[in-house]
Amino acid sequence: MAYFYPLPSSLPNLRFLHLKAMQDDKVSKVRVPHVLTVAGSDSGAGAGIQADLKACAARGVYCSTVITAVTAQNTVGVQGVNIVPEDFVAEQLRSILSDMPPNVVKTGMLPSTGIVKTLCQSLKEFPVQALVVDPVMVSTSGHTLAGPSILDSFREELLPMADIVTPNLKETSALLGGVPLETISDMRSAAKAIHDIGPRNVLVKGGDLPASLDAVDVFYDGNDFYEFRSSRIMTPNTHGTGCTLATTVAAELAKGSQMLSAVKVAKRYVEAALSYSKNIVIGGGRQGPMDHLLKLKSNVQRRPFDPCDLFLYAVTDSRMNKKWGRSIVDAVKAAIEGGASTIQLREKEVETSDFLEAAKACLKICRVHGVPLLINDRIDVALASDADGVHIGQSDMPAHFARALLGPEKIIGVSCKTPEQAQQAWIDGADYIGSGGVYPTNTKENNKTIGLDGLKTVCLSSKLPVVAIGGIGMSNAQAVMELGVPNLKGLLLCLLCLIGNVY
């Protein structure tokens, strides 16, 4: 039986409290930059809607979609195009624009005059902060994706509404009635001619320009010309570069960037993605996709974390390297020859640029031998070098923050002296802990030691594999390993212990 009691008259009005709570909740919510892409679906996922989604994800922007056509395509070419009915494109547009208005709309494949008109009408009814038009008519591989019948609709209706239009050379020529483009001077003239049609900014993409050794894009804002130059990256994986560039411009505009700045960021991003993905292999055709998230190459080469890799865990040290007159790279080579199963680069006296280059060189060596490479403390260097992970101390960034930056696949180790610290490392998502110093060490002055008893206490309380650290060498390693705790997986040794016989 339930009993109900009247609320005391002294209690505040509950409806008022509920409304206030809702208002407070609204105040605390963060508006996310939002791009709507209106484009065709690419079944091979290198271009179109799929590329737009990946580019926005890489740039930290939410992306909604309106699909204008469904294509059957792969790395060989386009096998078929099925255009979505105009009334359903209109329904998709209304669905998004009426409920979750984007900051920026980016267009890709618009395969019919009716769809162009539908889009323009929708944008007049639901204005947005910016419109980015990628006039997809001819793909990078040369396939026709929209016929000449829609050119008039582009020129008369869409381009005058655009904040920026980003045609490649073939599309630029088509928009201008077949004008040939063979030089950068031709690109400048074309950019001005397209600007006269109505868009506020024009970016003519010159990646296919035969007369230029560099990849040159020309940007025109109605007053000034800007040339963006970059070295040509020799790779077949260029499918979707145009979609990706335009979408990245849209993403940066949605985040509040000015137009010129957005174009610069987009150029750098596409160049980085092309360079990173130049050797990946997806499909058997002559034009493959990019890796938008810069993950595929590293995932192919990296194997999952194995606690057995902690068995002989070697650490570099700037002062020891200087004393012995050796480079970081030479020390790592010799340590692997000496049996190291994990390498940690701990370099406190090296310039960041030099450390980064050394880390990249060491990573190549470690990958050949299947040895994980970790960076001590420096998450920036670990990210920039694509190292296998980091090892951090109690005074460094917490492990859960490091995990958020590095992602789920990287290795994270945490130095711990107490059971409480070991428990927190497990909660924060670390992969292993380093416990110690067990003995005094010359590489870390004033470092409080925990001895064998302290090490055993931490091991017994830890849910993670443990590597013993601090002052361990050939003379005392056996005593450490004879503690008899199952999750003590290895010993951290100064590289000198492993390479003393090599030098």
Side-chain angles (χ1 to χ4, degrees), residues 435-441 443 447 449 467-473 476 480 492-493:
S435 186
V438 180
Y439 303 110
T441 174
T443 60
N447 186 32
T449 58
V467 58
I469 63 177
I472 301 171
N476 55 24
V480 177
L492 185 148
L493 304 173

Side-chain angles (χ1 to χ4, degrees), residues 271-283:
E271 183 180 1
L274 277 173
S275 178
Y276 191 88
S277 343
K278 62 184 177 182
N279 295 320
I280 64 174
V281 178
I282 298 177

Side-chain angles (χ1 to χ4, degrees), residues 1-12:
M1 180 179 295
Y3 293 90
F4 296 93
Y5 298 93
L7 290 173
S9 59
S10 59
L11 283 178

